[in-house]
Amino acid sequence: MGAQRLDEVRAAFLADIESAGGDAAAVENIRIRYAGRRSGLLLDLTAALRELPNEEKRDYGRALNELKKLVADRLEAAKSGAHTRQASGPGFDVTLPGLTLPKGAQHPVHLVRQRIEEIFLRMGYDVEDGPEIEDDRHNFEALNIPPDHPARDDQDTFYVSGGRLLRTHTSPVQARVMEQRKPPIRIIVPGKVYRRDSDLRHSPMFHQIEGLLVDEGVTFGNLKATLETFLHALFSEHGVDVRFRPSYFPFTEPSAEVDITCIFCGGSGCGVCSRSGWIEILGSGMVDPRVFEGVGVDADRYTGFAFGLGLDRVAMLLYGIPDLRQLFVGDQRLTRQFA
Amino acid sequence: MKFDLEWLRQHIDGDTDADTLSEALTHCGFLVETRDPSGQSEIWDVEATTNRPDVMCHRGLAREAALAVGARLKALDTTVEETGEQAENLASVEIQDEDLCSRYVGRVLRGIRLVESPVWLKERLERCGVRPINAVVDATNYVLLETGQPLHAFDLDRLEDRTIVVRRAHKGEVLATLDGEDRKLECDDLVIADRNRPVALAGVMGGADSEIGEETTDVLLESAHFEALSVRRTSRRFGMHTEASHRFERGADPLMAPVAADLAARLISQLTGATVSPGRIDVCPRPWQSKEMTFSVSGVSRFAGLEIAGDEIVRILEALEFRAGRDGDVITCVPPSFRGDIERVADLYEEIIRHIGYDAVPAVLPILRTPPGRRHPNWELVDRGRRAAVACGLTEAVTYAFIDPQVDQRLESWPLCPGPSIPLANPLAETQGTMRRSLIPGLLAAARENLNQGESDIALFEEGRVFSNPEGDCFEEPEYLSVVLAGGGLALPGRDAVDFLELKGVVEALLRDGAFPEVAWQRGGSPWLDEAEGAVLVDGDGGVVGVAGRLGDDEAGRWGFKQAVYVAELRLQAAAVEPPLPRFETLPRFPAVWVDITVEHGAALSYAGLEAAVRELSDQLVTSVSLVGRFTGKALGPDRVRTTLRLVYRHAERSMTQEEVNAAQDVLRAALVERLDVTI
Ligand SMILES: [Zn+2]
């Protein structure tokens, strides 16, 4: 037992002196801890000698003396800078690797989320939140998607008990906010969403961010300017052009699909953009009056626009991550690239 | 949807080149996704959104393309040569359920020969992804792809009484459809029947019994209009998605039935040498009603944020086959029958802005009329936790929110288990069958994956929701923050394996940076954790704030871990919504005196208990109590521990003398001996 304790103290001491790296204050703390004259660990070890059976005393005593010498030598060496990892002294090699300190990293999806939040906070938008387990009314009906609407086919839904479902988009939060608040409203809603779909380009869980502006006299030109401003800021390192294409979403009218110039080929056409030079990035449109009516906003007085995009997709584009599903296995080699 | 470029161009006046056409379609809302050369033509894959069944055919898309490139849509030639006996003497049609079928047009052809289609026709079908079968079927498919009107050819002699009855199915009726399946019908399925039995699922698929074959001579060609909802329900229930159902579900053109019947009759006659019997059988219990709509030029201009000329609006609407007129600022229009999607003024605004071009609308930022943006407190809370974890050196994982029900079951005993679990009604996989009640299983899977990839130092965290359904309609999704350390953990200098104290250091940092309340670490608490190295973190009211410890051997074995794995989970909602503002404390002006005290005690007295007693019993000038070292060993005897603590004495207004400190220490020693079973 006694000898084992000596070994423990030796190992701990060597580790401590190593990690001190020659820092004078750290070395002094170590000296106090081990060789302090009032309470150093060596005192405890010496005290323990007296209580050992006689036949063990000799070996223990010799080992203890060796340890005391080691401690003294190493402390001396550390103080005088003779140790190899000592950070000073003549002939010191400045090319030695520094100590590796722990460094954390956020997931790229959350980096992108925060980047987008910053842009919209500066434009006066609130960042809102809502439940991931939703009811049919907020996820579909309030957004002008009645039970037999074909748009439900595109959003294959996970159901839980009690008619509840996992939200298929962040849009239900729009409906919830409009039910509770009077315009003017400026919000964005980031969060997890779920669709029953899993292949190379689809993950059953992914992330969206949604935006909504409702006020008097909001125009389609306002939508264009807002999204152009946003996309120029989001892809500021790439310097993209923005294109608006008519499209269809049940909750907006007119609707616009928004493309940016392909960041991989600069718009000249490549495999990623199907040789079109454009990449689809965002869906948007003027809020359908039926959505306003469903949530109690005066559709004669107010107009507004809404938009939504996939955070995972933006992260993949922005940072060049090729595979969506790679994002959700917790591979720290991937995430640490974003530290 | 696939289109044949040459077929499209056949409907457009003039000679617009393919690039211009493709660009123009994309700009007015029909993205040309891919273009593949095919013979003398190209196959275009064009995005036709679900609200526009009218463009799910060549003529419909050509209409949009013509307007977009400034050309005219060619008129359709629908002339048919007719001979022989009147069609209405050869067959009859009766609609019993008028609510589901507003019109049924029939054409009769006699003297059919079942030949193969010519190459040009087969090529066009194949470019659109439709397999050629025989001239009759091909002709109906051709007209469908051209006009969007689904058609069906019946062998007239196999219809009992040469009669068509459009009715709801009787419960228990069975229909063998063309795909070889026996379909058991329900009362709300609309069927095409003859005098006795169903012969087709209306708008979805024909039946095998009345299918045309080698012996067929006379054909009844069906061109009808069925209600979208009824077709959709039937096709969904049987899982049958056909070219016909795809269009009826989205709303077919109620006026196209007679036109398509004529086109198909002429084509079949040309291809097979059959004669077309004079006249259409046309039963139309509910004729299409047009509706007039009005809006103002100034209204649409204001909405767009662009001055639009009234005449331009009329020109666009007319090119889209609306009837339109202008009286000053007021536009009056009637949408064509194939535009069922146009219901309100907003729909008209869309048509106009779409064809003016989104590019023409100037971009103007909206006026800011809201106070500066703020983040929802929940986002502040979870990101504070995230930042704290990153500051500790942890790497963030995002894992699926659904987990294996077998693993979930073991979470019943997890001290932070939020309540009854929520199974998915339709999971993608059995192993993703239930919503997670802890982030730990996801993190363990991630840790294992990293170890498999050859990583040796695992230090991951996840922030996310867990889910429970405490009762009925009540669903909860609290936010958790969880950690897994394995192998070398944070790889701190001088350490080669993670241990409990490393985990505890991380958790304490998260608690501090996350603005959690003070917690007590209580030993034990979960079958997931090692008995000795497991702890539940409890706040002052006894509420569980977190769990931390080494994964127990049983659980580690289930996950296949060979090395020690440490996990922790915190309930983020236990933290303060707004962390308290830091307050400055006056810096000390006089030096401190520190002194160590070594206490020998039984192992049953925990360090926390000892430290608490020392704090309580020591002089009020003691500003800190910290651990210097602990010693156990044979020398002390079994279950005995020797603990050295360092006390720092400081007086705010003067230096303290050693005598004062010694006196205070004497008092403390006496008090400790009296209070606890210790020797000093
Ligand atoms: Zn490209």
Side-chain angles (χ1 to χ4, degrees), chain B residues 173-209:
Chain B
E173 273 184 320
V174 174
L175 171 67
T177 43
L178 281 174
D179 53 8
E181 298 281 326
D182 281 341
R183 308 286 178 177
K184 262 190 84 182
L185 304 174
E186 297 284 336
C187 299
D188 54 355
D189 291 321
L190 187 71
V191 295
I192 310 302
D194 62 12
R195 199 40 84 194
N196 287 324
R197 63 201 165 118
V199 292
L201 262 183
V204 182
M205 193 179 278
D209 283 353

Side-chain angles (χ1 to χ4, degrees), chain A residues 1 5 15 19 32-33 38-39 44-45 47-48 51 56 99-107 110 113-114 117 121 123-133 148-150 153-154 157-162 164 166 181 184-186 190-192 194 196-198 203-205 207 213 215-216 218-222 224-226 228-229 243-248 253-257 274 280 286 289-290 293 303 325 327-333 335-336, chain B residues 26-29 31 33 47 49-51 229 232-233 236 250 302-305 343-344 346-347 350 353-354 358-359 361-376 378-379 383 386 390 392-402 422-428 432 435-436 446 449-450 453 455 457-461 463-465 467 469 473 475 477 490-494 594-596 628 630-636 642 644 646:
Chain A
M1 196 65 201
R5 176 65 189 154
S19 67
I32 292 166
R33 175 133 193 240
R38 297 165 59 94
S39 61
D44 290 336
L45 296 175
E51 298 177 44
E56 288 182 21
L99 287 183
T100 307
L101 302 177
K103 180 143 176 55
Q106 276 199 82
H107 194 276
H110 289 289
R113 169 176 60 79
Q114 287 156 6
E117 285 176 5
L121 281 165
M123 292 201 274
Y125 287 69
D126 290 340
V127 184
E128 285 298 338
D129 194 22
E132 290 174 23
I133 295 183
D148 281 300
H149 199 285
D153 290 352
D154 309 336
T157 310
F158 283 113
Y159 288 93
V160 298
S161 56
R164 300 294 179 96
L166 304 188
R181 255 194 249 168
I185 293 170
R186 280 187 189 220
K192 283 194 173 78
Y194 304 87
R196 228 178 144 276
D197 212 348
S198 184
S203 159
M205 180 193 85
H207 300 78
L213 184 147
D215 203 346
E216 289 171 355
V218 177
T219 68
F220 188 75
N222 292 158
K224 277 187 66 179
T226 301
E228 276 176 7
T229 305
R243 171 175 92 165
F244 293 80
R245 270 189 298 115
S247 186
Y248 168 74
E253 187 157 63
S255 303
E257 200 83 64
S274 308
E280 208 173 289
M286 302 298 283
R290 251 174 289 221
E293 283 156 17
T303 50
R325 292 179 305 180
L327 291 173
F328 306 125
V329 292
D331 191 333
Q332 57 185 24
R333 297 169 306 167
T335 308
R336 282 187 181 156
Chain B
T26 295
H27 272 271
C28 71
L31 177 67
E33 288 181 296
E47 195 178 284
T49 52
T50 55
N51 62 323
L229 225 58
R232 182 171 165 76
R233 284 188 182 141
R236 290 219 355 160
R250 286 160 179 75
R302 209 162 41 237
F303 182 78
E343 295 179 322
R344 319 176 137 212
D347 304 315
E350 173 167 30
I353 300 173
R354 193 164 64 82
Y358 285 3
D359 288 350
V361 178
V364 179
L365 278 172
I367 294 163
L368 183 61
R369 296 211 308 145
T370 47
R374 50 147 207 103
R375 302 173 84 232
H376 189 283
N378 194 55
W379 281 115
D383 276 353
R386 229 176 226 111
V390 170
C392 285
L394 300 169
T395 297
E396 182 168 23
V398 175
T399 67
Y400 287 144
F402 10 74
I422 306 178
L424 290 175
N426 54 342
L428 267 179
Q432 300 180 345
M435 298 305 285
R436 64 185 175 190
E449 172 68 16
N450 279 290
Q453 295 297 334
E455 290 286 283
D457 308 322
I458 312 300
L460 292 168
F461 80 97
E463 191 294 312
R465 295 182 190 179
F467 303 84
N469 180 198
D473 251 8
F475 291 83
E477 37 189 276
L490 288 167
L492 299 169
W594 59 260
V595 54
D596 289 349
V628 176
R630 260 160 91 83
F631 176 55
T632 54
K634 213 190 217 168
L636 292 178
R642 187 181 287 159
T644 302
R646 180 160 300 163

Side-chain angles (χ1 to χ4, degrees), chain B residues 26-44:
Chain B
T26 295
H27 272 271
C28 71
F30 307 98
L31 177 67
V32 181
E33 288 181 296
T34 55
R35 288 172 54 177
D36 295 308
S38 169
Q40 298 299 306
S41 186
E42 287 180 21
I43 300 169
W44 284 12

Side-chain angles (χ1 to χ4, degrees), chain A residues 262 264-265 269-270 272-273 277:
Chain A
C262 176
F264 299 98
C265 63
C270 67
V272 178
C273 57

Side-chain angles (χ1 to χ4, degrees), chain B residues 152-299:
Chain B
H152 186 69
F154 293 101
D155 183 335
L156 190 52
D157 291 321
R158 287 159 83 171
L159 297 177
E160 181 106 9
D161 279 358
R162 297 192 151 221
T163 296
I164 287 289
V165 180
V166 185
R167 60 165 170 86
R168 285 183 167 81
H170 307 312
K171 185 146 183 72
E173 273 184 320
V174 174
L175 171 67
T177 43
L178 281 174
D179 53 8
E181 298 281 326
D182 281 341
R183 308 286 178 177
K184 262 190 84 182
L185 304 174
E186 297 284 336
C187 299
D188 54 355
D189 291 321
L190 187 71
V191 295
I192 310 302
D194 62 12
R195 199 40 84 194
N196 287 324
R197 63 201 165 118
V199 292
L201 262 183
V204 182
M205 193 179 278
D209 283 353
S210 56
E211 187 184 3
I212 51 168
E214 292 296 340
E215 67 282 11
T216 304
T217 55
D218 296 357
V219 160
L220 177 77
L221 198 57
E222 165 196 292
S223 182
H225 187 256
F226 302 113
E227 277 317 298
L229 225 58
S230 149
V231 172
R232 182 171 165 76
R233 284 188 182 141
T234 297
S235 77
R236 290 219 355 160
R237 199 176 62 251
F238 290 121
M240 299 163 81
H241 186 250
T242 61
E243 294 277 345
S245 72
H246 188 77
R247 285 165 179 84
F248 280 126
E249 277 178 25
R250 286 160 179 75
D253 177 359
L255 295 189
M256 186 53 79
V259 180
D262 289 356
L263 290 174
R266 184 182 61 199
L267 185 56
I268 293 171
S269 158
Q270 281 167 3
L271 300 177
T272 69
T275 58
V276 182
S277 302
R280 302 183 199 112
I281 301 165
D282 190 349
V283 184
C284 184
R286 285 188 298 122
W288 177 70
Q289 309 271 331
S290 67
K291 79 180 163 208
E292 195 174 86
M293 301 168 81
T294 58
F295 63 100
S296 67
V297 177
S298 54

Side-chain angles (χ1 to χ4, degrees), chain A residues 292-312:
Chain A
F292 281 150
E293 283 156 17
V295 294
V297 170
D298 182 350
D300 292 326
R301 181 171 168 194
Y302 296 105
T303 50
F305 60 77
F307 55 89
L309 65 161
L311 286 173
D312 323 85

